[in-house]
Amino acid sequence: MDPATLAALYTALYTAIATLGLVATDTYVNANTMYLDTTVAEGVAEEGYEPSVVGGIFIAEAKKITSTPSLVAAPVIQSSKAKPISAALAQAAGLESALGAIQGVMGVIPPSLVASVIAEDPKKRVQVVTTAADGAVAEHVVGEEADLKLVLTGYDRKTGYFYVTVEGRTTDEDVDELIREAAFESVLKLEPYLAMLYDLSRRAEAGEDLAPARIRIDKALSSEPAAIRHGHRALLENLRGILALLEQNQVMARRDFEKAISSDPQQPIGYLNLAFLNVHEDRYQDAIDAVGKVIHPSYWPMTGNRVLLATGHIIKGVAETEMGRFRDAEASFRKAAELNPQSSEVHVYWARMLRKSGRPAEASRQYDLALGNSVYFENFPEMALLYFWLTEQGQEPLERRLGMVEER
């Protein structure tokens, strides 16, 4: 084989290997990333809603929805102008065409999302104005309105191909709302649980009716497979339990947390929320038993999530406090603070224990630590302890955490 042919073969082999590496890198790094392209009808663009504006509003709303603290990894939606890492590396290495070819051969379809704002049937909007005492009138056209549709088409490795249509009008507020609704619908397609989590949290914060959130959750549950164990169904059942706590319906909450455990006995959140409810109902040993499923044995706990483990130790410490086991409670709170040094709630409940055990000066220091850590406060809508305060009056109505630690 002559040197030129050999060199060509080596070059082809290098290109194939390098490109396969880029495909693998892209599949791993961008597995949860959607790249958004936006097109806008001419009449809408003339009103200031150019593709970059629509895309910016869409991405900002999607980030707000997916930033809700959760156990589930959020999809990332960003502009297609931001190149995937594989495309950037391919461009630097001069392998862009090879990358596309190899992806096609391997059946690798990059995640993508296209948002198209379409204007249909423009109509004149007429305002009638009386201009004379004899009743004569003059008609003035004050603007135009059109039926709008925002059409979302996309592909995601988990969801597959999908298509969503959202309808609206042309006034500025309506166009903004159209884009925000489309962003919600896109997250609902990509990761339904996260969208429902956001919707429930938003409605609760605004004091709105929770019934639409319950209907959406129940509809999603009805479409889940009837497998003996199913992690996604467990998350939805847990979320419905949180909704029941918001409505002060402890019977329904208990049922849903128990269902979540049954759906996925390896998922810690159902045990932790059931334990929280047990403490709220003065069932302290039951709470300790439920928490024990998550945090024991300490060298091989059910989860490696330090926030969840800290939550388990806090609930255990509160139960031990109410049982008068102050030394055990202090050990539980100390472990929780070690696992999650930014926690504010651990120091609130630790201070309660110290106050009950006749150590007011130490209790005061714990409250100071709680106040200092309140800057790290996060409402964690999936976790009852990180969403509500446990009151000291037993079965008093649950009080939502709103960002500040309790008064001393």
Side-chain angles (χ1 to χ4, degrees), residues 28-51:
Y28 177 75
V29 175
N30 295 309
N32 215 27
T33 302
M34 300 289 291
Y35 291 93
L36 174 70
D37 280 305
T38 309
T39 64
V40 176
E42 183 178 348
V44 180
E46 289 174 355
E47 296 297 320
Y49 287 94
E50 297 179 354

Side-chain angles (χ1 to χ4, degrees), residues 63-287:
K63 286 183 177 179
K64 183 171 74 173
I65 295 167
T66 57
S67 64
T68 304
S70 172
L71 303 176
V72 173
V76 177
I77 299 176
Q78 62 185 45
S79 171
S80 61
K81 292 180 180 179
K83 287 182 179 293
I85 186 170
S86 59
L89 291 172
Q91 184 181 40
L95 299 174
E96 286 177 286
S97 58
L99 176 63
I102 292 288
Q103 284 178 326
V105 169
M106 295 177 65
V108 175
I109 305 171
S112 61
L113 189 63
V114 178
S116 304
V117 181
I118 302 168
E120 296 182 329
D121 302 326
K123 301 172 184 177
K124 294 292 183 182
R125 182 171 56 196
V126 177
Q127 181 180 17
V128 179
V129 181
T130 300
T131 58
D134 60 3
V137 298
E139 293 184 350
H140 300 279
V141 176
V142 297
E144 292 184 349
E145 63 179 14
D147 292 325
L148 286 186
K149 289 199 303 185
L150 197 155
V151 179
L152 285 166
T153 55
Y155 172 81
D156 174 65
R157 292 186 177 100
K158 291 190 299 182
T159 309
Y161 291 98
F162 59 89
Y163 176 96
V164 176
T165 299
V166 182
E167 298 184 355
R169 308 293 292 177
T170 59
T171 64
D172 287 354
E173 286 186 6
D174 288 341
V175 175
D176 285 356
E177 184 58 33
L178 181 77
I179 299 167
R180 287 193 291 268
E181 185 179 347
F184 177 80
E185 292 295 333
S186 70
V187 178
L188 192 62
K189 282 290 183 183
L190 297 171
E191 185 45 74
Y193 171 74
L194 268 183
M196 286 182 275
L197 178 68
Y198 165 79
D199 183 51
L200 174 59
S201 182
R202 180 192 64 78
R203 289 177 182 277
E205 186 174 340
E208 295 180 7
D209 182 11
L210 300 180
R214 186 189 310 105
I215 291 169
R216 197 187 296 273
I217 294 169
D218 286 344
K219 182 179 178 182
L221 277 168
S222 69
S223 66
E224 288 291 340
I228 295 175
R229 294 186 180 183
H230 197 273
H232 193 263
R233 187 175 67 207
L235 285 171
L236 289 170
E237 287 164 340
N238 178 77
L239 186 58
R240 193 169 58 183
I242 294 292
L243 191 156
L245 289 182
L246 285 165
E247 296 179 325
Q248 304 294 338
N249 189 334
Q250 294 165 214
V251 173
M252 293 293 289
R254 177 174 295 278
R255 186 200 69 178
D256 285 323
F257 295 145
E258 289 174 344
K259 282 188 173 182
I261 292 170
S262 178
S263 292
D264 189 356
Q266 301 305 311
Q267 195 176 93
I269 193 168
Y271 295 104
L272 295 175
N273 285 340
L274 182 61
F276 173 92
L277 184 55
N278 284 333
V279 170
H280 180 63
E281 295 179 348
D282 301 340
R283 299 164 66 166
Y284 304 123
Q285 188 57 52
D286 288 342

Side-chain angles (χ1 to χ4, degrees), residues 275 279 283-285 287-288 313-325 329 333 390:
V279 170
R283 299 164 66 166
Y284 304 123
Q285 188 57 52
I288 292 172
H313 286 283
I314 294 169
I315 295 171
K316 180 172 176 284
V318 174
E320 289 163 341
T321 297
E322 296 304 318
M323 297 170 76
R325 292 162 49 182
F333 293 136
L390 278 167

Side-chain angles (χ1 to χ4, degrees), residues 372-384:
N373 276 359
S374 65
V375 298
Y376 305 114
F377 172 84
E378 279 188 321
N379 237 3
F380 209 109
E382 293 158 305
M383 293 291 301

